[in-house]
Amino acid sequence: TKDKKFMDRVSTWYKKLFTLLNKYLFENGGPIIMIQVENEYGSYGLQTDGAGSDMVMCGKVANVYSTVDFGCGANVKEAFSNQRLFEPNGPLVNSEYYPGWLDHWQSKHAKVDTKCVVNTLDAMLSLGASVNIYL
């Protein structure tokens, strides 16, 4: 958005937030190695929103680390090989791992098999990947 009132409030919030988080950033000796700017850009031709190379290649941004995202049952090695096409070095990262799914009004409740969630998570961790579990 370009709404000035909104952007002023966002700027105020980010200044406060990063004042608090700064000491926790990796470059300052903390545990936060990166911050995800957005996770849906791939759906709009800009960055990642999935694990397919078509989603990652849509708009690789210079100096921004590209990741993939996927849920249980995905081919983990294939997903991360797509990340490697654009990021040959650095950590393997699933920036949005889905342990479940969303519900829509008047639709059947979405359920995901626990074994599928655990097995896919285990496969990622066995590769040394970092995982952001999307709730």
Side-chain angles (χ1 to χ4, degrees):
T1 182
K2 293 182 181 181
D3 181 274
K4 183 170 175 14
K5 289 180 183 177
F6 176 78
M7 292 308 296
D8 286 347
R9 287 177 174 88
V10 169
S11 294
T12 299
W13 165 241
Y14 278 173
K15 285 176 189 170
K16 175 68 174 179
L17 177 64
F18 284 102
T19 298
L20 298 171
L21 291 179
N22 191 50
K23 65 183 174 186
Y24 298 108
L25 298 177
F26 183 77
E27 66 187 34
N28 298 323
I32 299 174
I33 61 169
M34 65 178 72
I35 296 171
Q36 181 175 325
V37 178
E38 177 51 74
N39 67 315
E40 300 293 340
Y41 287 152
S43 295
Y44 301 97
L46 294 171
Q47 197 58 15
T48 183
D49 185 32
S53 61
D54 59 326
M55 297 303 256
V56 183
M57 75 176 207
C58 286
K60 172 79 174 99
V61 177
N63 301 315
V64 174
Y65 193 79
S66 291
T67 64
V68 292
D69 63 69
F70 53 89
C72 84
N75 182 325
V76 173
K77 288 184 179 180
E78 181 181 323
F80 286 131
S81 70
N82 286 328
Q83 181 188 358
R84 283 288 180 240
L85 292 173
F86 302 93
E87 297 296 347
N89 301 302
L92 297 173
V93 180
N94 183 338
S95 54
E96 192 174 283
Y97 179 57
Y98 316 113
W101 197 242
L102 56 95
D103 284 345
H104 295 277
W105 288 107
Q106 299 180 346
S107 295
K108 187 178 176 182
H109 175 58
K111 294 182 180 180
V112 177
D113 181 62
T114 301
K115 286 183 183 179
C116 181
V117 173
V118 170
N119 290 341
T120 306
L121 179 60
D122 186 56
M124 288 186 285
L125 296 176
S126 72
L127 293 175
S130 293
V131 182
N132 176 42
I133 299 177
Y134 182 81
L135 302 175

